[in-house]
Amino acid sequence: MRILIVDDDAAARDAYVRCFAGADFDIEVGPHEPDVFDRVARALSADTPFAVAFVDSAGQGRDTLRRLRAIDIDLNLVVVTAEPDFSAAGIGNPVDKLFHIAKPFASAEIVHMAAALRERWSLDRALLTARAHLRAQVLLLEERRRELAEAEARAVHSATHDSLTGAPNRVAFLDALEERVRRPGRFAAAMLDLDRFKLVNDTLGHLAGDQLIREMYAILQANVPADALVARLGGDEFGILFDADCSGGGMATCARLVAACAVPITVLGSTVQGGASVGVVVVDGGSGEAIDVVRRADLALNEAKRRGRGGVQLFDAAMDEELVARRRIEQELGDALARGELSLEYQPIVERDGLAIEGFEALLRWRNPEHDAIAPETFLAVAEESNLIHTLGDWVLARALEQVKRWPNQYVAVNVSPRQFRRHDFAGYVAACLDKAGVAASRLQIEVTERALAADPDRAAETLRRLRRIGCRVALDDFGTGQASLGGIRALALDALKIDRSFIEPIGREREAAAIVHSIVHLGRALGFQVIAKGIETAAQVQALRIAGASHLQGFFLAHPADGEQACAMARAGLSTPEPLRAVLRG
């Protein structure tokens, strides 16, 4: 520890030297002169400060004490004075670092004072270091806290906002709707779809479609009432919440939005005509459920599009009857499995040339004692809106795999809904079912629609690749009715395209129908896919499709769906049609 001794008396300075002789102290001794202050300043700058300064109060002593305190506030000052009434006034704070020793002093007194102050100075230094470290840690923690808060804010924003437009997403919309239905007061919920959006995507590409969505969102934001919420729900669909005193007010607001959207818009250098259709429901807040509001607005939107697009449709009670019917179906469907009301039928898929059965499509049927047979498109749409679709899908896959084991070598085709297809690790789930049933993956064909691929194309493509790696067959069902194009599906892991029945049905009645189907078949085969035509009901359709080059055929004309036992008999026979009919087809 370094000690400074300042005294003009040479004899006193010698006395100090003798006091500290043999002691473990680094002392510097000198008179009152400017060099003293330079030494203290240099020592402080070099981080080798003096711990204690013994300063004689006589002569310039008071000024020396004051200047030393100004240079180093942590320096322990010991006033060595012969003045019985010496006052420390004017020397400066801190007072707890100012001490007195009377002259003449004893050596032991000086050494003990130095030793005590050395210990205190060391502790003070350690405390200062610890406080500095603590301050640094506090600052670091504060910075980490700010970073975490910012990261959390970004994560929350990302989870509740659309990355393309920055608009609130479906999650945020439903949260806002849940909150709004609990508050009193009338409000409107509107669902808006862009008209001809698929045409823009198909002709100008997805980048143009993305820009169109951004432009439309900006138009909606600029034209909605103050405090309204505009959310992008997915694809080209938007949801809008706003206060409305009456149905007429809600309709008028939506009509203004439709008019604002009906303008030419430039996207990627091309001009497209904007347009939108809207379904709106006006409800009283303070009661009801958000999901009912969404369903009613959706029903109104569907009716607006059915009437020709570019319009506004207000929800009415007639639409509510359909909603009530769907609820009843949902309730009854939940118990249908336990009551044994569900069954599978199997419709053959035959190859074009020999009409041999290569596979069967598993078709779910529901026969309810109160309602007789219920159309699959009716109850499956209801199941898709709830978790019932997973229960039904699991049952269908398990039954179909048990059935296929009874056939000689045909495969079974199982339809998978969009919600099933999006379940976590769907390919792994299918692999586990195959393993449990003891069925080779090559004997299962998974059929998905274009709608199942549209929500998350990258994830859908990876799921298809995994299914193919497992060994399953994969078919794109109802091709031509969704947003996919042959160019878009070129990179997908598919085995087959199934042409939608809406393209098959006009064959024989409309001159262009056969040409359209011929083009689809030609392009599908050029991409290396099998092409399955379904919904065949006439001999003319069979002949046209065979000429077009469709690889496989399916429909009532060839064979109606059959129960399990009948399907087994057909599979073992290997042919779908009686010999007389086969002779007609050969002719």
Side-chain angles (χ1 to χ4, degrees), residues 245-524:
D245 293 334
C246 61
S247 297
M251 286 283 288
T253 296
C254 291
R256 288 195 297 272
L257 293 178
V258 169
C261 291
V263 294
I265 298 174
T266 301
V267 292
L268 299 185
S270 299
T271 301
V272 300
Q273 179 61 41
S277 300
V278 180
V280 59
V281 58
V282 178
V283 297
D284 291 313
S287 62
E289 296 182 5
I291 191 64
D292 283 345
V293 176
V294 171
R295 286 178 176 176
R296 291 171 184 173
D298 270 335
L299 289 171
L301 174 60
N302 291 336
E303 182 64 18
K305 291 190 291 188
R306 190 186 68 80
R307 293 188 176 188
R309 301 182 179 276
V312 180
Q313 177 63 51
L314 180 69
F315 175 84
D316 62 29
M319 299 176 191
D320 203 23
E321 293 175 3
E322 180 181 347
L323 183 63
V324 171
R326 291 169 73 88
R327 279 185 170 177
R328 185 176 64 252
I329 289 173
E330 182 177 339
Q331 293 170 355
E332 295 179 359
L333 186 57
D335 298 326
L337 268 178
R339 293 194 299 262
E341 297 173 1
L342 297 179
S343 63
L344 288 183
E345 292 183 349
Y346 304 89
Q347 186 172 38
I349 301 171
V350 305
E351 56 88 18
R352 175 192 61 196
D353 296 324
L355 300 181
I357 298 175
E358 292 194 359
F360 290 83
E361 180 178 358
L363 301 171
L364 183 61
R365 299 291 185 253
W366 179 17
R367 290 176 174 81
N368 184 293
E370 296 183 11
H371 307 292
D372 297 323
I374 301 176
E377 57 268 23
T378 299
F379 68 81
L380 288 176
V382 173
E384 179 71 3
E385 295 176 358
S386 67
N387 283 327
L388 284 174
I389 195 65
H390 295 300
T391 302
L392 296 183
D394 293 348
W395 183 83
V396 168
L397 182 57
R399 289 293 295 268
L401 292 178
E402 286 301 315
Q403 178 72 14
V404 77
K405 290 192 293 186
R406 303 174 62 192
W407 304 337
N409 50 27
Q410 291 86 356
Y411 65 84
V412 64
V414 174
N415 294 284
V416 175
S417 77
R419 193 164 183 175
Q420 286 177 272
F421 189 69
R422 291 194 297 268
R423 76 190 293 173
H424 175 68
D425 193 17
F426 175 73
Y429 157 75
V430 171
C433 291
L434 287 165
D435 185 64
K436 180 179 180 181
V439 174
S442 60
R443 302 194 67 191
L444 172 64
Q445 177 166 290
I446 296 294
E447 298 191 353
V448 296
T449 63
E450 298 171 31
R451 192 162 63 92
L453 309 180
D456 190 345
D458 292 339
R459 180 180 176 185
E462 176 58 24
T463 300
L464 293 178
R465 283 192 291 269
R466 291 190 61 197
L467 287 169
R468 288 287 299 280
R469 285 198 294 267
I470 290 169
C472 295
R473 301 166 54 91
V474 180
L476 184 60
D477 199 9
D478 297 338
F479 179 72
T481 61
Q483 296 184 359
S485 64
L486 282 170
I489 65 172
R490 181 171 51 191
L492 295 179
L494 298 173
D495 292 284
L497 298 179
K498 296 190 77 172
I499 305 176
D500 186 68
R501 66 181 65 247
S502 62
F503 293 100
I504 308 300
E505 191 271 335
I507 293 177
R509 293 186 296 102
E510 299 178 8
R511 185 177 56 185
E512 300 85 359
I516 292 172
V517 170
H518 185 91
S519 297
I520 294 175
V521 172
H522 178 74
L523 290 173

Side-chain angles (χ1 to χ4, degrees), residues 519-548:
S519 297
I520 294 175
V521 172
H522 178 74
L523 290 173
R525 293 184 63 181
L527 293 175
F529 301 139
Q530 292 181 352
V531 180
I532 304 171
K534 68 178 188 178
I536 298 172
E537 298 185 356
T538 68
Q541 292 169 356
V542 173
Q543 294 288 31
L545 288 162
R546 296 175 80 194
I547 293 171

Side-chain angles (χ1 to χ4, degrees), residues 170 172-181 183 186-191 221 224-231 233 238-244 253-254 257 280-281 283 290 293-294 297:
R170 180 177 291 274
F173 180 79
L174 293 177
D175 286 346
L177 183 56
E178 288 280 3
E179 189 275 333
R180 186 61 187 86
V181 296
R183 290 192 286 112
R186 302 200 85 188
F187 71 95
M191 298 294 168
Q221 277 287 83
V224 293
D227 300 325
L229 172 70
V230 180
L233 306 183
F238 293 88
I240 306 166
L241 288 180
F242 58 93
D243 291 336
T253 296
C254 291
L257 293 178
V280 59
V281 58
V283 297
V293 176
V294 171

